[in-house]
């Protein structure tokens, strides 16, 4: 009698090699293909009327199917336990290269622009064949100076508007024309973009985290504060400001136009270094004053520092003061140190930070709360 082997006998004896990584999918495809071909063969044999064929009994069929099922189980187990390397996730902000292939490390620890960022910008300028040109008004795009824009707003009420009295005004937060043309951006004696420089320096100096608590003394129209508000968790940025016009610019233009109203910064109008409006339970990671103390009487600065010590995290928290600390140096070196020590503060040093966009640097003086 002619002997015929079932097609999957050889398949079970010498199965196709199983590759764990890239070839695992192809191995499965091979198995499925062979299974289909054996099934087709079996159907052909079942329907064949050749007298020389071997009758496949039910027990043999059951054993064969069981063997195939066992093999399939081990194959799928092997594939599911594949130790393939998972794809690395890289966090990038603004399309910049955040250095050294460290992914989100740069975003957490480095706020300032990296060397790779600068090179990327330079490459883009070269690739697009851009040349610096005189900043002249151009035709075809309705060029207007700020003064002309303001005059247009006053005379024509903007490009389009609702007619009628204020009751029919559909604008949710009507904004004065002076703010719409951003006249307040020229109130600082230096470019508005310098606010980003201040943020980067301070944030990196204290290893700022989104959950950090920050207090700015004299935030003005939020030239610096906007960057802190954007980075920090809601309500984690606090500010004491005395100037009403600056606060109006902050609330009625900067926060709405930057989409930051949802961050709910705690901005309090006050003077004489009165911090009672911030409650008593806050402990700040960073307190800073940018070009503020030099406009105050020395006595008021010392009063403010005395009130701030208990609100600063011991040892880890920092106070940064820009430009100078003449309120202290005018006392003389030893007397200055003694008075700081009496308040529970330590002077840590002087820092210089260069601007990214214009030829400018700022001097910062660092203090911390001494250990108990």
């Amino acid at each position: 009698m002619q002997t015929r082997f079932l097609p999957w006998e050889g398949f079970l004896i010498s199965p196709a090699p199983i590759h764990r990584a890239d070839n695992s999918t192809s191995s499965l495809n091979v198995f499925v293909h062979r299974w289909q071909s054996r099934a087709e063969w079996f159907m052909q044999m079942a329907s064949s009327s050749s007298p020389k064929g071997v009758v496949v009994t039910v027990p043999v069929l059951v054993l064969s199917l069981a063997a195939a099922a066992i093999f399939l189980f081990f194959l799928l187990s092997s594939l599911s336990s594949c130790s393939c390397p998972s794809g690395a996730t890289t966090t990038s902000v603004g399309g910049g290269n955040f250095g050294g292939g460290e992914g989100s490390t740069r975003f957490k620890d480095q706020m300032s622009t990296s060397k790779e960022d600068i090179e990327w910008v330079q490459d883009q300028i070269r690739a697009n064949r851009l040349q610096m040109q005189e900043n002249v008004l151009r035709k075809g795009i309705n060029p207007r100076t700020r003064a002309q824009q303001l005059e247009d707003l006053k005379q024509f009420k903007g490009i389009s508007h609702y007619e009628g009295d204020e009751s029919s005004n559909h604008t949710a937060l009507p904004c004065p024309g002076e703010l719409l043309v951003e006249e307040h951006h020229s109130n600082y004696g230096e470019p508005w973009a310098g606010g980003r420089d201040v943020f980067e320096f301070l944030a990196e100096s204290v290893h700022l985290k989104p959950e950090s608590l920050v207090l700015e003394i004299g935030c003005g129209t939020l030239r610096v504060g906007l960057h802190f508000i954007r980075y920090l968790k809601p309500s984690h940025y606090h500010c004491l400001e005395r100037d009403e016009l600056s606060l109006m610019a902050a609330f009625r233009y900067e926060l709405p136009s930057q989409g930051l109203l949802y961050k709910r910064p705690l901005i309090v109008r006050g003077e004489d270094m009165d911090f009672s409006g911030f409650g008593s339970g806050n402990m700040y990671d960073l307190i800073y004053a940018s070009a503020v103390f030099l406009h105050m009487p020395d006595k008021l600065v010392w009063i403010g520092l005395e009130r701030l010590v208990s609100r600063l995290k011991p040892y880890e928290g920092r106070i940064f003061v820009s430009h100078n600390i003449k309120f202290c140096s005018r006392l003389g070196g030893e007397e200055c140190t003694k008075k700081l020590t009496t308040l529970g503060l330590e002077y840590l040093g002087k820092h210089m930070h260069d601007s990214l966009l214009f030829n400018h640097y700022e001097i910062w003086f660092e203090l911390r709360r001494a250990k108990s």
Side-chain angles (χ1 to χ4, degrees):
M1 182 174 65
Q2 184 179 356
T3 303
R4 293 184 181 179
F5 292 95
L6 290 172
W8 36 59
E9 288 181 17
F11 185 64
L12 292 173
I13 295 173
S14 57
I18 299 174
H19 301 285
R20 298 182 59 83
D22 295 334
N23 294 330
S24 58
T25 302
S26 60
S27 298
L28 181 59
N29 291 336
V30 169
F31 173 80
V32 172
H33 177 73
R34 292 186 178 180
W35 176 270
Q36 291 174 340
S37 64
R38 270 59 175 184
E40 291 173 357
W41 177 89
F42 176 77
M43 294 298 294
Q44 292 175 0
M45 290 299 299
S47 60
S48 174
S49 60
S50 172
K52 296 182 179 180
V54 177
V55 177
V56 180
T57 63
V58 172
V60 173
L61 177 60
V62 171
L63 289 175
S64 301
L65 291 175
I70 293 172
F71 176 79
L72 179 61
F73 171 81
F74 283 109
L75 175 63
L76 294 178
S77 299
S78 175
L79 293 176
S80 63
S81 62
C82 173
S83 57
C84 307
S86 59
T89 302
T90 301
T91 302
S92 179
V93 178
N97 180 353
F98 290 108
E102 293 296 327
S104 60
T105 301
R106 152 71 194 272
F107 179 75
K108 292 180 180 178
D109 300 332
Q110 183 176 341
M111 305 290 178
S112 59
T113 302
S114 68
K115 178 182 177 182
E116 289 80 5
D117 295 334
I118 300 296
E119 292 174 350
W120 180 84
V121 172
Q122 293 172 340
D123 289 342
Q124 299 307 304
I125 292 174
R126 285 191 293 266
N128 289 284
R129 300 185 298 278
L130 304 179
Q131 299 292 331
M132 185 61 70
Q133 301 178 14
E134 292 185 11
N135 186 23
V136 295
L137 294 175
R138 301 175 185 177
K139 297 179 180 180
I141 56 173
N142 191 29
R144 313 294 281 167
T145 64
R146 278 183 177 171
Q148 290 171 330
Q149 289 181 50
L150 181 58
E151 184 61 30
D152 290 346
L153 287 171
K154 291 179 177 179
Q155 183 176 356
F156 304 110
K157 301 180 183 178
I159 298 175
S160 61
H161 63 280
Y162 292 101
E163 298 290 349
D165 56 23
E166 289 298 322
S167 63
S168 63
N169 193 330
H170 293 256
T171 304
L173 291 172
C175 190
E178 290 80 0
L179 298 181
L180 290 174
V181 300
E182 299 181 343
E183 284 191 345
H184 59 284
H185 285 191
S186 303
N187 292 347
Y188 293 90
E190 60 185 40
W192 179 262
R196 177 69 192 185
D197 294 322
V198 175
F199 166 73
E200 290 179 356
F201 167 74
L202 294 174
E204 290 187 349
S205 296
V206 300
H207 305 290
L208 194 72
K209 302 291 188 297
E211 59 272 14
S212 299
L213 197 60
V214 174
L215 170 65
E216 180 176 3
I217 302 170
C219 57
T221 58
L222 300 178
R223 185 177 71 114
V224 178
L226 286 174
H227 302 285
F228 279 100
I229 294 170
R230 184 177 292 111
Y231 178 78
L232 296 170
K233 289 184 175 181
S235 302
H236 278 231
Y237 172 84
H238 297 177
C239 166
L240 180 68
E241 174 57 53
R242 60 175 295 181
D243 185 61
E244 181 178 3
L245 294 178
S246 295
L247 291 175
M248 288 295 287
F251 285 119
R252 296 185 66 176
Y253 181 77
E254 291 300 335
L255 289 174
S257 67
Q258 297 293 325
L260 294 174
L261 290 173
Y262 77 100
K263 285 300 188 84
R264 301 292 193 272
L266 179 56
I267 302 175
V268 177
R269 185 185 180 188
E271 49 190 329
D272 297 333
M273 301 292 269
D274 180 10
F275 304 104
S276 60
F278 300 101
S280 58
N282 295 317
M283 297 294 287
Y284 293 101
D285 299 275
L286 169 65
I287 299 173
Y288 71 96
S290 178
V292 172
F293 285 179
L294 67 165
H295 300 300
M296 289 183 179
D298 291 357
K299 182 179 179 180
L300 183 57
V301 175
W302 284 109
I303 291 174
L305 289 175
E306 183 177 3
R307 293 171 177 172
L308 288 171
V309 171
S310 61
R311 296 173 178 268
L312 185 67
K313 284 187 176 179
Y315 211 66
E316 295 180 357
R318 293 291 188 271
I319 295 177
F320 277 89
V321 179
S322 75
H323 290 71
N324 64 63
I325 50 172
K326 290 184 178 180
F327 65 88
C328 196
S329 60
R330 277 191 278 260
L331 298 175
E334 291 185 5
E335 189 62 26
C336 174
T337 302
K338 182 179 178 181
K339 192 160 187 176
L340 288 173
T341 303
T342 302
L343 295 180
L345 291 173
E346 291 182 62
Y347 173 69
L348 296 182
K350 171 182 175 182
H351 308 273
M352 291 179 62
H353 179 66
D354 294 318
S355 171
L356 171 67
L357 298 177
F358 61 107
N359 188 21
H360 169 80
Y361 67 88
E362 267 193 345
I363 300 174
W364 289 90
F365 299 87
E366 181 180 4
L367 306 169
R368 75 178 172 194
R369 183 175 174 182
K371 287 184 176 179
S372 301

